[in-house]
Amino acid sequence: MTQSLTLHRPDDWHLHLRDGAMLRAVLPETARHFGRAIIMPNLVPPVITGDQAAAYRDRILAALPEGMNFEPLMTLYLTEETNPDDLAAAHASGLIKSVKLYPAGATTNSSSGVSNFDKVRPVLERMAEIGCPLCVHGEVTDADIDIFDREAVFIDRVLDPIRRTTPGLRVVMEHITTANGVDYVKANDNDLGATITTHHLIINRNHILVGGIKPHYYCLPVAKREEHRLALRKAATSGDARFFLGTDSAPHTDDNKESACGCAGCFTATNTMSLLAHVFEEENALDQLEKFSSLNGPAFYRLSVNVAKITLTKGDQVTYPSHIETEDGPVTVFNPGFDLHWRVE
């Protein structure tokens, strides 16, 4: 029997679009279903000033296919040289909605990130004053810390001290992957939220490694043990307003994924809504999907909910392309390893 579910049009609160040919190829995959997205600024070179954010926004809008409605929500890349006045002006104008903190070396194109957190304290204090959220890639990069422990250590060593010394700073813990992250968010106030990706609700570290290395499941933060995946699913499907969707959809060409040193990232923009409906149905929580995908994020960012709506229906198996073709080469679409029956009409 066909089932139907109508939601306010969802938003993606963590998205990589890249630039140039890759941008033109992958943007329609998000714009097809999503009304808005927080756009990651880790280009080469990174987007660190208001002028650069405006230029990047214009390139995104120029690449948007005719007839598609989509609003890119811009961010600045936090560096140890970030100008607080430029940041504040970009935020006051409505150009940027957040600032992104990458610990130096934590993930793709993060070499310009922060090493000395004392150097960015004046910027964080200004952000607290003006209400501009800080989006954090929550991992330490110390060589002596196991990659599976980086998120938990970041919370203790970096995030909690930042929040204690910068009252009023609004923080989004992006792509949390552990029960530690879930517990930290739940133990804190309304100035703290967290995004959860589609793929971290579906895969654990066994999916990456058992039976051979699966490069298209490799991401950063890396997927953790099953107990952590289950904690993420419980948080996402709980209806708690502090948790919302950020796909972290990250396109890399297959030759860059399937190599001796493959890039980190899962490309989920194409089929995320079908995947989420499957997960939420498994958790007997379809009634919470709209909160996670469409309501909680706007509430945290103090934006209105999208007026437009989408309808998901469940019926015969739905298939998605295995790859998105780009001028630079194919990009593999995330394959969950199970059949999908929910589709966006």
Side-chain angles (χ1 to χ4, degrees):
M1 180 181 296
T2 299
Q3 295 176 251
S4 180
L5 183 66
T6 298
L7 316 170
H8 285 275
R9 195 176 182 197
D11 299 303
D12 187 345
W13 300 98
H14 184 143
L15 177 67
H16 296 271
L17 288 176
R18 313 302 188 203
D19 212 344
M22 183 65 78
L23 164 64
R24 293 190 294 273
V26 302
L27 175 58
E29 302 304 300
T30 289
R32 188 174 295 119
H33 298 154
F34 292 87
R36 298 168 293 198
I38 288 282
I39 308 301
M40 291 296 102
N42 58 332
L43 304 182
V44 181
V47 179
I48 61 175
T49 69
D51 286 346
Q52 290 170 341
Y56 187 27
R57 178 200 58 194
D58 291 346
R59 295 196 299 275
I60 294 169
L61 293 174
L64 187 66
E66 186 175 354
M68 282 190 164
N69 294 312
F70 174 76
E71 181 182 2
L73 306 176
M74 308 311 294
T75 62
L76 294 184
Y77 187 120
L78 182 64
T79 74
E80 294 173 10
E81 288 75 43
T82 292
N83 183 319
D85 293 333
D86 178 72
L87 184 160
H91 183 259
S93 72
L95 171 64
I96 68 163
K97 293 296 185 285
S98 63
V99 173
K100 179 62 182 278
L101 166 62
Y102 290 102
T107 189
T108 302
N109 299 339
S110 62
S111 60
S112 299
V114 177
S115 297
N116 185 341
F117 288 91
D118 286 336
K119 290 186 176 180
V120 298
R121 193 168 306 281
V123 177
L124 300 181
E125 290 172 352
R126 178 69 73 87
M127 291 173 61
E129 291 175 8
I130 64 178
C132 181
L134 177 70
C135 297
V136 299
H137 180 112
E139 294 186 288
V140 297
T141 56
D142 309 54
D144 61 331
I145 302 299
D146 189 281
I147 192 170
F148 293 104
D149 297 328
R150 287 179 170 185
E151 182 174 295
V153 174
F154 180 88
I155 292 170
D156 292 338
R157 288 189 186 176
V158 181
L159 180 59
D160 198 58
I162 284 176
R163 296 185 68 247
R164 290 183 184 277
T165 56
T166 320
L169 181 65
R170 307 180 66 241
V171 176
V172 178
M173 296 175 63
E174 295 196 307
H175 47 45
I176 58 171
T177 59
T178 62
N180 311 73
V182 171
D183 290 343
Y184 185 74
V185 172
K186 291 170 68 175
N188 284 274
D189 57 28
N190 291 331
D191 285 335
L192 183 65
T195 60
I196 302 175
T197 76
T198 311
H199 55 278
H200 284 122
L201 296 173
I202 294 170
I203 62 171
N204 60 34
R205 65 188 191 181
N206 279 3
H207 291 93
I208 304 173
L209 299 170
V210 172
I213 295 174
K214 315 297 192 308
H216 296 288
Y217 287 164
Y218 171 57
C219 55
L220 287 174
V222 69
K224 308 298 194 296
R225 293 179 180 272
E226 177 67 359
E227 66 194 77
H228 296 294
R229 185 184 75 95
L230 295 178
L232 296 176
R233 285 170 74 112
K234 185 175 180 180
T237 59
S238 67
D240 188 320
R242 291 168 290 189
F243 301 103
F244 38 95
L245 174 64
T247 66
D248 193 18
S249 183
H252 294 284
T253 57
D254 286 356
D255 61 337
N256 284 319
K257 290 288 291 180
E258 301 166 3
S259 68
C261 187
C263 294
C266 297
F267 182 68
T268 57
T270 302
N271 55 1
T272 273
M273 292 312 298
S274 291
L275 293 166
L276 289 178
H278 180 100
V279 167
F280 275 65
E281 184 178 36
E282 283 189 334
E283 298 295 321
N284 296 312
L286 278 173
D287 59 329
Q288 302 298 335
L289 178 56
E290 185 176 45
K291 291 180 181 177
F292 180 69
S293 65
S294 310
L295 305 182
N296 293 349
F300 184 90
Y301 277 91
R302 299 171 179 170
L303 298 172
S304 59
V305 174
N306 291 318
V307 174
K309 296 187 177 183
I310 66 168
T311 297
L312 288 151
T313 60
K314 183 182 180 183
D316 295 336
Q317 182 180 347
V318 55
T319 59
Y320 290 91
S322 60
H323 298 80
I324 300 299
E325 296 297 333
T326 81
E327 294 178 22
D328 299 324
V331 173
T332 288
V333 175
F334 180 81
N335 181 349
F338 50 75
D339 293 342
L340 294 172
H341 290 272
W342 286 94
R343 74 181 72 227
V344 180
E345 296 296 340

